[in-house]
Amino acid sequence: QASQEELKAAYRRLCMLYHPDKHRDPELKTQAERLFNLAHQAYEVLSDPQTRAIYDIYGRRGLEMEGWEVVERKRTPAEIREEFERLQREREERRLQQRTNPKGTISVGIDATDLFDRYDEDYEDVRGSSFPQIEINKMHISQSIEAPLTATDTAILSGNLSTQNGNGGGSINLALRRVTSAKGWGEMEFGAGDLQGPLFGLKIFRNLTPRCFITTNCALQFSSRGIRPGLTTVLARNLDKNTMGYLQWRWGIQSAMNTSIVRDTKNSHFTVALQLGIPHSFMMVSYQHKFQDEDQTRVKGSLKAGFFGTIVEYGAERKISRHSILGATVSVGVPQGVSLKIKLNRASQTYFFPVHLTDQLLPSAVFYATVGPLVLYFAMHRLVIKPYLRAQKERELEKQRESTASDILQKKQEAEAAVRLMQESVRRIIEAEEARMGLIVVNAWYGKFVNDNSRKNEKVKVIDVTVPLQCLVKDSKLILTEASKAGLPGFYDPCVGEEKSLKVLYQFRGVLHQVMSADNEALRIPKQSHRIDADG
């Protein structure tokens, strides 16, 4: 976003610093020529609106392209950006053709009631009865893939298999979705299964206003008993920035009317719902708190009461790796009993393990369902997950270092050469600042600092940037913008892929000041808040 005047001022400053005629030493003169040419090339690109637009969009590769195969160089910046957006859309369409967006769910139901509901007296003499029996009593597997046909048409193929207590079945569905406009889309569905007959469905989505939409889904289920129709309509409206209201009407096999309000903010998720229907009517309230930590920890609880009984659920979920989220929920209800539900989301796949512990409300079952997963998680996190993530991060950093080693070496050599060329200019700047009791950089370091005791085994990786930082001082001020400081003259990246900071100890009006700034954080000195208290 720099203006032409700012570019000229920066270019003039670098020319004065790197001009070869200012250095008599042959080695310094050679280094100055190289850096002067780099600055001149950069100014030539950025001072021309056409080449600047090409560089902003395509980077250095666009400037080096022979014949400029992408767009004509004579076009205006606006035309270049328009052409670039067109090419982006074409690339997006090609990417759509290759994307299948697979989604799947695997659910394994476990019956562990023998742990708490045992017949201790009547079956003591039965062989094998001394050990509780844990059984898998049901399984469900579903999978779906998307096949974009055009930019507006998508085919969706899905299927599922289910089994419970030795009986099972499955079905397969094909849906064709078309985006009709920016306001809506329609979908036709065809399905068949061994437990149910053919299915035909139609689904329509439409934005009625910018804050309101409607979804209608009608289906015809064919079976030996005849045709069973069904209709579901959902009307939704934005009540405010973070709140949605829903009205649902369902007619058919399980007719019901449902209304719900969902409020989703950065720190919480709240839902209240009321349903009147056959066979189930209920009221439900749930709350989820989102912790603002790197593991995206969430704690949730809900209460659901209706004709079927009452259920209280509470649980938590946490991110355990880049693509995996692990969660556990305890369900306590009448007459359902106590259950533990474990869920693992891995990318677009979901693995669900509901464990039924008892049909009764036993305090011991509630205790073990609550404490057991916590103990197991913290043990696994400390012994397995944390070492694995640390090793994975080290491998990624090592790979990144190897791929950028030659480039970093070149940047380091350029930075060292720049520092040598700055010495004379820095000496004059310091003399001028001392004369006016101005800004003098005493020490400055850039790189990875380790201040946390938990990271004391990690190695500090910093470079001395006192000279290049002093060279940027003008009229007793130093201003750095919101950009990586590794790109400043005389700087380079000492620890690729790791968090970096800039630590500056400076003197202003004879008083010492100190500041620590993050790599991409803007910095302006001097400031009163940086002052080091003499008593401290």
Side-chain angles (χ1 to χ4, degrees):
Q1 303 299 324
S3 65
Q4 288 295 328
E5 289 72 22
E6 289 173 323
L7 284 171
K8 286 180 182 178
Y11 177 57
R12 202 178 296 117
R13 187 184 179 106
L14 290 175
C15 285
M16 293 176 63
L17 189 63
Y18 296 144
H19 202 287
D21 294 343
K22 297 186 66 177
H23 304 280
R24 297 180 180 178
D25 185 274
E27 184 180 351
L28 289 179
K29 195 177 184 72
T30 303
Q31 294 170 349
E33 286 177 355
R34 184 157 53 92
L35 293 174
F36 181 82
N37 289 334
L38 287 174
H40 181 67
Q41 291 171 10
Y43 181 68
E44 279 189 331
V45 170
L46 298 177
S47 59
D48 186 311
Q50 295 176 4
T51 54
R52 181 174 178 174
I54 293 169
Y55 179 77
D56 285 346
I57 298 170
Y58 298 100
R60 183 175 294 182
R61 186 182 63 173
L63 298 170
E64 296 171 350
M65 213 175 274
E66 293 184 7
W68 191 231
E69 294 89 346
V70 183
V71 292
E72 296 176 9
R73 287 182 180 265
K74 294 182 180 179
R75 293 191 179 185
T76 64
E79 291 174 330
I80 291 172
R81 294 179 194 278
E82 185 179 341
E83 182 72 9
F84 175 71
E85 290 173 0
R86 185 186 67 80
L87 293 169
Q88 284 285 80
R89 287 194 297 270
E90 290 183 358
R91 280 196 289 268
E92 182 65 25
E93 288 181 6
R94 287 196 296 269
R95 198 159 40 240
L96 280 173
Q97 300 294 334
Q98 300 170 353
R99 189 183 68 186
T100 58
N101 193 23
K103 296 179 182 178
T105 300
I106 297 177
S107 177
V108 180
I110 301 172
D111 184 358
T113 54
D114 205 33
L115 289 171
F116 298 95
D117 300 337
R118 288 178 57 80
Y119 296 93
D120 295 329
E121 298 179 359
D122 298 340
Y123 294 93
E124 283 182 351
D125 298 332
V126 178
R127 182 177 296 180
S129 65
S130 58
F131 296 98
Q133 294 185 4
I134 299 176
E135 301 176 346
I136 296 176
N137 59 358
K138 56 184 176 181
M139 289 186 67
H140 176 81
I141 300 174
S142 64
Q143 188 74 30
S144 69
I145 57 172
E146 295 182 1
L149 306 177
T150 66
T152 58
D153 297 332
T154 304
I156 305 168
L157 181 65
S158 60
N160 66 80
L161 293 171
S162 299
T163 178
Q164 183 170 0
N165 297 326
N167 299 315
S171 65
I172 186 168
N173 293 68
L174 174 64
L176 299 174
R177 179 183 298 167
R178 164 165 287 190
V179 179
T180 55
S181 68
K183 293 185 176 181
W185 50 265
E187 181 178 292
M188 288 193 300
E189 182 181 6
F190 307 90
D194 58 348
L195 296 181
Q196 297 177 337
L199 169 72
F200 173 75
L202 180 65
K203 189 174 184 179
I204 298 173
F205 171 87
R206 180 76 178 177
N207 279 314
L208 302 178
T209 68
R211 300 180 60 184
C212 182
F213 69 85
I214 187 171
T215 302
T216 300
N217 184 15
C218 56
L220 295 175
Q221 180 74 61
F222 298 87
S223 66
S224 58
R225 299 179 181 179
I227 301 176
R228 293 187 296 178
L231 178 66
T232 302
T233 300
V234 179
L235 179 66
R237 179 178 173 82
N238 278 98
L239 303 180
D240 61 33
K241 181 181 178 181
N242 300 307
T243 309
M244 288 288 296
Y246 297 90
L247 289 172
Q248 183 187 73
W249 177 65
R250 187 169 63 244
W251 171 78
I253 303 172
Q254 292 186 344
S255 299
M257 292 185 66
N258 181 295
T259 180
S260 60
I261 296 176
V262 179
R263 181 169 177 81
D264 191 14
T265 66
K266 182 180 179 181
N267 298 314
S268 63
H269 183 94
F270 175 77
T271 302
V272 57
L274 174 65
Q275 175 172 304
L276 299 175
I278 302 171
H280 295 307
S281 295
F282 65 85
M283 183 175 181
M284 188 268 290
V285 178
S286 70
Y287 177 79
Q288 182 182 87
H289 184 76
K290 306 173 186 177
F291 292 92
Q292 301 304 309
D293 57 355
E294 60 180 10
D295 294 324
Q296 300 176 13
T297 306
R298 300 184 178 189
V299 177
K300 55 188 177 181
S302 68
L303 171 64
K304 190 174 182 181
F307 294 163
F308 53 81
T310 302
I311 299 175
V312 176
E313 291 189 342
Y314 57 90
E317 65 179 38
R318 197 174 197 184
K319 189 176 181 179
I320 58 174
S321 70
R322 184 181 302 173
H323 304 292
S324 301
I325 298 176
L326 180 64
T329 303
V330 178
S331 177
V332 182
V334 178
Q336 291 82 3
V338 181
S339 297
L340 171 64
K341 303 172 184 177
I342 299 172
K343 184 170 71 170
L344 173 64
N345 288 330
R346 172 71 178 172
S348 59
Q349 301 293 314
T350 301
Y351 304 90
F352 188 53
F353 302 92
V355 184
H356 188 50
L357 299 177
T358 174
D359 295 323
Q360 307 174 52
L361 291 182
L362 298 179
S364 58
V366 176
F367 174 80
Y368 285 111
T370 304
V371 176
L374 288 174
V375 173
L376 183 61
Y377 167 76
F378 284 113
M380 287 187 61
H381 187 267
R382 186 175 184 83
L383 300 176
V384 179
I385 298 174
K386 202 171 180 179
Y388 171 76
L389 293 178
R390 191 185 302 118
Q392 186 182 46
K393 185 177 180 181
E394 284 297 325
R395 286 195 299 268
E396 290 176 355
L397 286 174
E398 189 60 34
K399 189 176 179 180
Q400 191 175 0
R401 290 190 197 104
E402 290 175 359
S403 63
T404 59
S406 59
D407 185 49
I408 293 298
L409 180 61
Q410 181 182 350
K411 294 289 184 185
K412 180 180 178 181
Q413 292 171 349
E414 290 178 0
E416 291 173 347
V419 169
R420 287 194 290 269
L421 296 171
M422 291 175 183
Q423 297 291 344
E424 184 62 27
S425 296
V426 168
R427 184 182 63 79
R428 291 196 298 270
I429 292 172
I430 291 176
E431 288 178 356
E433 293 296 325
E434 284 179 341
R436 66 174 73 153
M437 294 286 287
L439 176 59
I440 298 174
V441 179
V442 179
N443 277 308
W445 301 271
Y446 173 67
K448 175 185 175 183
F449 296 86
V450 180
N451 300 320
D452 191 351
N453 290 331
S454 63
R455 300 166 58 197
K456 60 184 179 181
N457 295 326
E458 297 184 26
K459 187 179 179 181
V460 177
K461 301 173 186 176
V462 297
I463 56 173
D464 190 336
V465 291
T466 306
V467 172
L469 212 58
Q470 183 70 65
C471 193
L472 294 173
V473 173
K474 185 178 180 181
D475 299 329
S476 299
K477 293 179 182 178
L478 175 62
I479 301 173
L480 302 179
T481 58
E482 293 181 355
S484 175
K485 297 170 179 62
L488 294 172
F491 282 62
Y492 69 94
D493 193 341
C495 46
V496 177
E498 300 184 67
E499 290 186 7
K500 292 172 281 291
S501 301
L502 174 65
K503 186 176 183 180
V504 186
L505 178 67
Y506 65 93
Q507 185 174 296
F508 181 68
R509 293 178 180 172
V511 179
L512 283 177
H513 297 64
Q514 183 171 284
V515 61
M516 177 83 83
S517 172
D519 187 27
N520 290 292
E521 183 183 356
L523 178 64
R524 186 184 183 96
I525 58 177
K527 272 190 176 182
Q528 183 71 22
S529 58
H530 300 163
R531 183 168 176 164
I532 299 176
D533 194 351
D535 296 335

